Amino acid sequence: MQPASAVVGLIVVAAGSGSRLGADVPKAFVPLAGVPLLGHALRGALACPDVAEVVVVSPTGWLGEADAVCRWARSRSCEPSSGAPVRVVPGGAERGDSVAAGLAALSDRVGVVLVHDAARCLTPASVFGRVVAAIRGGAAAVVPGVPVVDTIKQVDSAGRVVATPERSSLRAVQTPQGFRRDVLERAHAESSEATDDAGLVERLGESVLVVEGDPRALKVTTPADLEAAARILAG
Ligand code: CTP
Ligand code: MG
């Protein structure tokens, strides 16, 4: 167990190519209202005063650009966390590899780790705050989530419905996801193959708590999502 006062480190994974967005630069560098998605993501994260250290995981070949975006975001923040050390490291082939690269780059003093997708670039600082508060309250793993509006069907490989889970029990989960560092390191030592880090922690048998997410934490995946993000910013 780590103390509730443990230092919070943030890993922002930004090393993906953004193939579904289809831009001519990696997704983290695609502009939204003139600012790269990574810049928006860092601005939100640095507005959370709990964040004491940041590692940005960048596409190989874009480390200099990522560093420039970090400097810009810090210069635009007046929160205490704007003074947090920010490092840029190269990512890996899969998202899990990039998270592992970020974990390896955190300093020893970090006891609580937040993992955040740069693609969820408009996530408000309040979501970071709720995740940190739940970890400080004793949870080992915390994810923000929102109720789902669609009815979800589970299907087999032939497309036949096998189950209709009760909608009120479902949540669409977002990032930042927060973990006690020892728990996340143990989960990554077992495997890094999952669509989110909480999935790895669940496999350890650890319980994962869901706190309230935010519709603004949508993940920019397609051009339509980029338009939706632009509308959120404008509104
Ligand atoms: N990511 C990463 N390293 C990878 C793959 C993904 O750091 N090898 C990051 C992305 O930069 C993004 C987050 O993980 O911030 C969520 O991934 P996703 O939305 O799938 O982004 P991409 O993999 O870039 O997009 P696509 O799957 O369309 O190529
Ligand atoms: Mg991807």
Side-chain angles (χ1 to χ4, degrees), residues 146-157:
V146 291
V148 298
V149 290
D150 294 317
T151 295
I152 306 286
K153 303 283 185 194
Q154 187 184 349
V155 294
D156 65 16
S157 56

Side-chain angles (χ1 to χ4, degrees), residues 3-193:
S5 62
V7 170
V8 177
L10 167 70
I11 299 169
V12 180
V13 283
S17 61
S19 54
R20 287 169 288 179
L21 191 57
D24 50 8
V25 294
K27 184 157 73 180
F29 299 96
V30 169
L32 171 62
V35 173
L37 297 191
L38 176 60
H40 288 286
L42 284 169
R43 219 160 40 172
L46 290 175
C48 172
D50 296 288
V51 171
E53 183 174 316
V54 182
V55 174
V56 172
V57 188
S58 155
T60 312
W62 289 78
L63 301 180
E65 288 84 352
D67 203 47
V69 176
C70 292
R71 274 185 275 117
W72 174 86
R74 289 176 67 168
S75 73
R76 292 292 297 260
S77 172
C78 44
E79 297 295 331
S81 42
S82 64
V86 180
R87 295 187 59 194
V88 176
V89 300
E94 304 294 335
R95 183 184 179 282
D97 304 318
S98 295
V99 174
L103 253 180
L106 287 170
S107 76
D108 289 344
R109 69 189 185 121
V110 168
V112 171
V113 182
L114 303 180
V115 183
H116 186 45
D117 290 337
R120 295 188 188 273
C121 57
L122 299 184
T123 305
S126 55
V127 179
F128 288 80
R130 282 198 285 276
V131 171
V132 171
I135 297 274
R136 294 215 192 284
V142 178
V143 299
V146 291
V148 298
V149 290
D150 294 317
T151 295
I152 306 286
K153 303 283 185 194
Q154 187 184 349
V155 294
D156 65 16
S157 56
R160 271 185 297 264
V161 172
V162 278
T164 305
E166 174 60 42
R167 190 172 58 189
S168 62
S169 73
L170 297 173
R171 298 290 179 275
V173 302
Q174 306 175 326
T175 70
Q177 300 192 345
F179 307 92
R180 259 180 27 218
R181 183 180 187 159
D182 60 314
V183 170
L184 185 61
E185 286 183 336
R186 214 156 20 96
H188 271 267
E190 296 282 325
S191 162
S192 63
E193 283 169 37

